[in-house]
Each structure stands twice: as structure tokens, then as C-alpha cells.
């Protein structure tokens, strides 16, 4: 498994077994980047905040910024590291707080020094227990940083978190798109499947929204409109959504030009598809427009969708990013940071949706699917071997004569023009046991972030 597909606990354990200090140091920085982003902070590696000196990591939440130095050495960190961080802090704004992370702890002189300097430039210290607490619950990192800063400045107290037992901690398992892929009927990996239906298709995915409660209590929708201008800024935004843990469960996307639509799973395949734009391999939808991108992802607590218009010269015209949550968020900082960091936001709004953009129903009778490929997940078994689990199937469109959905003015996917659909199946089963029949029985339609999302749910009936 790649680092991103491991759970943070497994990755943390693997880092402790790394004997090469240089490799461990680089991997530790990448691990911290994922962890800091998962906590809701904006973070960058090697940011030019204190030029000409280099900084391991810079993080921010709202107006508060942190200059972070990470150490994983044999001996406790000495006072020389404090002096080095202080030197870099003096090249930054006075409000920036220094952070030293040491997996080997801190010398007594180091602790005494940060207390002595607290009235000049505050530097907080994080040890192994602090990082373990953040691994257990990423959002806790913001509280740890704030609490350490307050105790240091107000009472000259250097506080460390109590030990944490990580054995039973659930935490996010890493973006699912890192170990999910589409394969053809023979099991050969494919980057995407296509429909000869330009600009009219939907994303096939899994909103993970409790739709049966939407009409009763509604959902909160946070809409952002980042002022993106090019493919590079769009790619950075997608990377942030991925690395901040917002693709834990899935990442689905479609890219449509004038005559064709590409459907894919995962950020890696989307990056490859976006490379077709500057190469001129995607036809503009019309003289006045380029290509349309729609993608979405989600976690247990939120669902997001993004749509953007991309011109042939790689210019981004309109980008809309929406987050759907079960409750109104009290703190919008983490949402606004996205737009502030990846293209200033020219508008944002929070609304309460009582279900006008969600509908669902049953397919009666169930439709048997003609399988053309599979959506598989690669997992490591308890014996350490990699095994494939079938999560869904690519099927030839069984709705070419009629759509299975009740008519709605919100949705117009032109189902009869699609050659293939993607249908999730349950229960998941091993690749070696894929022989059997697949049926579609339930549908969900959602409209969010300017994108139409269709979910087809089915079941697998193995051959006896």
C-alpha cells in the first residue's frame, strides 16, 4: 500500500520502524502535512514565509499562522533548535507562532528557553503524545495548538497531552480513491470509461447523504465560489480536498466536451484526464465554452461537489464548490480558507435545503445488468496479501428506452444517450468470486455544486 492508502496509525507505526533518518524525516513531513490538513488547517511544505531560511511546514487557521519545525532524532531537542526557529520567526509577522514537533521529546534547557522567550516570540512544543492525540482525532490538533499557546503566554506553562492508546482508534483510513480503480471485464486497469454523450451526463457516485431524512429535517449547504483562473490552481484545490481527508469514502468525476464524457474514480485518474485539455485532445462544447468538469467526494460527516468550466487555453471561468452537512457549521473558517488559499472567494453562502434537490426511489422490477467492467478496491488481507474486492460494476445502459427516475425539473441527464452506467453493488465480494448476476434496484438523484449526481445501487447474486 502507498502511504496515503494506509491508516495514519499504520503509517505512524511504519515511520517508527524506518532506520534511515533521512527517509524517515521526509516521510514524517509528508505525514504531518496530511495530519495538519485533516485537522482543518491550511498547510504547505517548504513555504517561503521566512526566506531566505527554509521552513518545514507552515499552517494557518483563520488569521492565526504557525511556523512548524519537525524533528525525529535519537536525543531530545536542544535549545539550539529553539534559537533557529526564533531566527526564522523574526522574518515573519509578529502574530506568527512557532511550533517545534519532536518525537524524542525536549531537553529541560529547551523548555526553559521557550518559557523565557514567550513575551517576545511564542514557540509551542509538541511531543509524541500530542501527535498521537491528533492521529486519534485530527480536529483535536487545533485545540492542542491553541491550548499550548494560551498556557505558555498566560501562565508560563509548557503543557503536553497525556499518553494515547491508538490500538482501538478508528480515525480516517485515507482517501478511498487511493486504492480504488476501474478495470475492464478481464481485470485490466482502465483510467476511465466514456459515454458518447457530450455535456449531458451525470456523475455516478455515492453522496452518502441520509436522503430518507432530508425532507423531514433538511441539510446545510455551504456554497463557495473560488476565483480560480487556471488548471494549476484547480489542481491545487483538488489536492487540498484530497489531502485534507475529504475523500475518505470516494472521489468520482466526469469531464465532458462537445461529443464525449469521461467518467472516472480517484484524483490520480482525474489529473491524467485534465492533461488532455492543454494537449487539445478534448473538443470545446461550443464556440463560446470549453469543457465541463464535475467531481465530488465525501466523509462520514459531509459531502462535497465541485464544478468548473475549463477553456481550451486552460482558463477557468466559473468554479462552484458546495459542502452538504447534516447541521449548520458554527465555524466557517475552514471553508473560507479553501477559497482564500486557492483563488480568492468572490462569494459564499450558507443555506438550509429541505430536500428540493434530492429524490430517490426503487427500480421495479429489478434490472439485470450487462457487465462491461468493475469498480474494485485493493485491500491488504490479514496475511499481508493484496486482494481485490468488487464494489460496483460498469454496465451497458439498461435504461436506453426509459429512465428509471420519476420526472423532475432539476435533472436532465438524457439517459437514452448514455452507453454505460456505473452501479454500486452489495455485498462486496472477492474478485475471484465475481461469477454471478448483478441487479440494479434503487436510485438516488442529487443536485449540488452545479453537478447532477446519480447513484445506482444494486446487489450481487453469486452462481450456486
Amino acid at each position: 500500500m502507498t502511504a496515503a492508502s494506509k491508516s495514519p496509525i499504520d503509517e505512524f507505526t511504519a515511520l517508527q520502524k524506518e532506520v534511515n533518518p533521512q527517509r524517515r524525516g521526509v516521510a514524517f513531513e509528508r505525514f504531518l502535512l496530511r495530519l495538519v490538513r485533516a485537522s482543518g488547517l491550511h498547510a504547505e511544505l517548504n513555504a517561503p514565509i521566512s526566506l531566505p531560511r527554509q521552513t518545514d511546514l507552515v499552517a494557518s487557521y483563520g488569521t492565526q499562522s504557525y511556523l512548524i519545525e519537525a524533528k525525529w532524532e535519537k536525543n531530545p531537542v536542544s535549545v539550539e533548535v529553539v534559537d533557529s526557529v526564533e531566527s526564522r520567526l523574526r522574518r515573519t509577522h509578529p502574530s506568527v507562532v512557532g511550533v517545534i514537533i519532536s518525537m524524542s521529546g525536549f531537553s529541560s534547557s529547551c523548555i526553559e528557553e521557550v518559557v523565557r522567550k514567550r513575551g517576545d516570540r511564542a514557540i509551542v512544543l509538541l511531543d509524541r503524545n500530542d501527535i498521537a492525540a491528533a492521529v486519534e482525532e485530527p480536529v483535536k490538533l487545533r485545540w492542542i495548538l491553541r491550548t499550548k499557546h494560551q498556557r505558555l503566554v498566560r501562565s508560563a506553562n509548557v503543557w503536553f497531552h497525556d499518553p494515547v492508546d491508538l490500538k482501538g482508534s478508528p480515525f480516517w483510513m485515507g482517501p478511498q480513491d487511493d486504492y480504488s480503480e476501474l478495470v475492464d471485464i478481464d481485470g485490466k486497469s482502465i483510467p476511465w470509461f466514456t459515454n458518447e454523450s457530450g455535456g449531458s451526463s451525470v456523475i455516478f457516485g455515492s453522496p452518502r447523504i441520509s436522503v430518507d431524512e432530508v425532507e423531514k429535517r433538511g441539510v446545510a449547504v455551504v456554497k463557495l465560489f473560488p476565483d480560480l483562473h487556471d488548471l494549476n490552481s484547480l489542481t491545487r484545490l483538488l489536492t487540498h480536498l484530497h489531502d485534507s481527508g475529504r475523500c475518505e469514502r470516494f472521489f468520482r468525476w466526469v469531464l465532458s466536451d462537445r461529443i464525449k464524457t469521461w467518467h472516472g474514480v480517484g484524483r490520480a485518474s482525474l489529473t491524467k484526464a485534465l492533461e488532455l485539455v492543454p494537449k487539445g485532445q478534448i473538443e470545446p462544447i461550443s464556440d463560446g465554452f470549453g469543457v465541463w468538469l464535475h467531481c465530488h467526494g465525501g466523509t462520514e460527516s459531509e459531502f462535497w461537489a465541485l464544478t468548473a468550466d475549463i477553456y481550451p487555453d486552460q482558463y477557468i471561468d466559473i468554479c462552484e464548490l458546495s459542502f452538504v452537512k447534516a447541521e449548520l457549521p458554527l465555524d466557517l473558517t475552514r471553508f473560507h480558507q479553501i477559497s482564500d488559499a486557492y483563488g480568492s472567494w468572490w462569494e459564499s453562502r450558507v443555506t438550509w435545503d429541505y430536500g428540493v434537490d434530492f429524490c430517490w426511489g426503487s427500480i421495479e422490477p429489478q434490472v439485470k445488468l450487462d457487465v462491461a467492467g468493475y469498480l474494485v478496491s485493493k485491500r491488504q488481507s490479514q496475511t499481508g496479501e493484496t486482494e481485490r474486492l468488487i464494489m460496483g460494476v460498469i454496465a451497458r445502459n439498461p435504461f436506453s428506452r426509459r429512465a428509471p427516475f420519476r420526472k423532475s425539473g432539476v435533472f436532465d441527464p438524457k439517459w437514452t444517450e448514455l452507453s454505460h452506467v456505473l452501479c454500486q453493488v452489495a455485498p462486496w465480494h472477492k474478485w475471484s468470486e465475481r461469477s454471478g448476476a448483478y441487479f440494479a434496484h434503487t436510485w438516488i438523484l442529487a443536485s449540488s455544486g452545479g453537478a447532477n449526481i446519480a447513484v445506482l445501487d444494486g446487489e450481487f447474486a453469486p452462481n450456486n
Side-chain angles (χ1 to χ4, degrees):
M1 291 191 293
T2 64
S5 64
K6 294 179 181 178
S7 76
I9 296 175
D10 292 339
E11 191 174 347
F12 197 43
T13 302
L15 282 171
Q16 297 179 74
K17 296 178 181 178
E18 177 58 65
V19 295
N20 185 298
Q22 185 175 7
R23 284 200 298 264
R24 184 178 62 196
V26 173
F28 187 43
E29 287 183 5
R30 295 288 178 182
F31 173 76
L32 288 176
L33 179 67
R34 289 181 61 214
L35 191 60
V36 172
R37 286 177 170 174
S39 72
L41 279 76
H42 171 62
E44 295 179 78
L45 286 174
N46 303 320
I49 189 173
S50 59
L51 288 176
R53 300 291 297 275
Q54 188 177 11
T55 300
D56 288 350
L57 189 66
V58 173
S60 63
Y61 190 80
T63 58
Q64 182 62 67
S65 296
Y66 300 94
L67 185 153
I68 303 173
E69 175 80 1
K71 297 289 185 181
W72 195 326
E73 301 174 347
K74 289 184 178 180
N75 301 317
V77 164
S78 64
V79 71
E80 285 77 14
V81 177
V82 176
D83 293 337
S84 175
V85 171
E86 183 191 25
S87 176
R88 275 172 280 174
L89 279 175
R90 293 189 181 280
R91 294 183 172 89
T92 68
H93 191 274
S95 65
V96 178
V97 174
V99 178
I100 301 176
I101 299 174
S102 172
M103 301 305 291
S104 56
F106 302 90
S107 66
S108 58
S109 61
C110 177
I111 295 175
E112 292 171 359
E113 188 69 3
V114 298
V115 171
R116 187 178 70 82
K117 293 179 180 293
R118 72 188 188 282
D120 187 11
R121 295 305 297 262
I123 300 175
V124 300
L125 308 178
L126 275 70
D127 66 3
R128 185 183 294 267
N129 290 341
D130 296 315
I131 297 303
V135 169
E136 180 186 46
E137 186 178 357
V139 72
K140 187 183 290 184
L141 180 61
R142 300 204 304 265
W143 173 80
I144 290 174
L145 289 171
R146 184 173 64 252
T147 301
K148 284 177 175 288
H149 185 204
Q150 291 173 347
R151 291 194 181 188
L152 175 66
V153 174
R154 295 175 182 177
S155 59
N157 174 247
V158 177
W159 167 78
F160 295 104
H161 201 284
D162 292 333
V164 174
D165 183 8
L166 291 175
K167 292 182 179 180
S169 303
F171 187 42
W172 53 284
M173 297 298 293
Q176 190 181 76
D177 62 282
D178 283 333
Y179 51 91
S180 299
E181 64 177 347
L182 299 175
V183 301
D184 64 18
I185 198 72
D186 298 317
K188 182 180 179 181
S189 179
I190 56 177
W192 47 67
F193 69 94
T194 60
N195 273 308
E196 301 298 325
S197 176
S200 65
S201 193
V202 296
I203 315 175
F204 293 102
S206 175
R208 297 297 176 102
I209 301 169
S210 184
V211 291
D212 57 338
E213 297 182 1
V214 169
E215 290 184 340
K216 299 177 182 177
R217 62 181 301 274
V219 290
V221 181
V222 181
K223 285 186 178 290
L224 300 177
F225 298 87
D227 191 16
L228 303 181
H229 294 294
D230 54 36
L231 271 181
N232 181 57
S233 58
L234 175 63
T235 301
R236 289 176 60 229
L237 172 57
L238 292 171
T239 299
H240 174 82
L241 291 167
H242 176 278
D243 291 350
S244 62
R246 290 190 173 97
C247 303
E248 294 175 25
R249 303 299 167 186
F250 53 88
F251 188 174
R252 306 282 192 267
W253 59 266
V254 297
L255 194 64
S256 299
D257 69 0
R258 182 171 57 86
I259 60 175
K260 186 181 292 187
T261 297
W262 290 257
H263 298 257
V265 173
R267 182 176 60 105
S269 62
L270 175 55
T271 301
K272 291 181 181 179
L274 289 174
E275 292 174 355
L276 301 177
V277 177
K279 293 178 180 179
Q281 298 180 22
I282 295 182
E283 293 288 334
I285 292 175
S286 67
D287 293 337
F289 297 93
V291 296
W292 293 337
L293 168 67
H294 300 305
C295 55
H296 74 256
T299 69
E300 288 288 357
S301 61
E302 72 179 25
F303 162 76
W304 62 266
L306 178 147
T307 181
D309 294 345
I310 308 171
Y311 284 77
D313 60 0
Q314 305 179 48
Y315 178 76
I316 307 295
D317 182 26
I318 298 175
C319 180
E320 179 180 338
L321 178 60
S322 295
F323 294 89
V324 179
K325 301 178 70 66
E327 298 178 353
L328 284 171
L330 299 179
D331 183 2
L332 293 178
T333 304
R334 63 191 292 261
F335 300 105
H336 287 169
Q337 282 188 166
I338 296 172
S339 299
D340 290 340
Y342 302 102
S344 60
W345 56 280
W346 58 274
E347 185 181 358
S348 68
R349 45 182 110 120
V350 182
T351 60
W352 192 256
D353 188 338
Y354 281 99
V356 294
D357 290 340
F358 301 92
C359 57
W360 62 95
S362 300
I363 301 171
E364 298 178 352
Q366 294 186 5
V367 175
K368 185 175 182 180
L369 300 173
D370 183 6
V371 178
Y374 300 90
L375 169 62
V376 299
S377 172
K378 291 182 178 179
R379 301 287 180 90
Q380 269 194 332
S381 65
Q382 293 182 348
T383 61
E385 299 179 354
T386 300
E387 61 181 11
R388 279 177 164 181
L389 295 177
I390 295 180
M391 305 163 58
V393 296
I394 305 170
R396 294 174 180 84
N397 184 14
F399 313 117
S400 59
R401 296 184 179 179
R402 66 172 183 87
F405 321 120
R406 60 175 178 254
K407 293 183 179 180
S408 170
V410 178
F411 309 103
D412 182 24
K414 299 182 180 178
W415 287 93
T416 57
E417 298 180 14
L418 305 181
S419 59
H420 293 81
V421 298
L422 180 64
C423 181
Q424 300 179 138
V425 295
W428 293 1
H429 50 285
K430 295 181 180 180
W431 173 258
S432 58
E433 301 171 356
R434 65 188 181 279
S435 178
Y438 297 82
F439 298 88
H441 57 68
T442 308
W443 59 267
I444 302 172
L445 286 178
S447 180
S448 180
N452 289 332
I453 298 121
V455 181
L456 297 176
D457 274 322
E459 63 181 16
F460 169 62
N463 288 337
N464 294 327

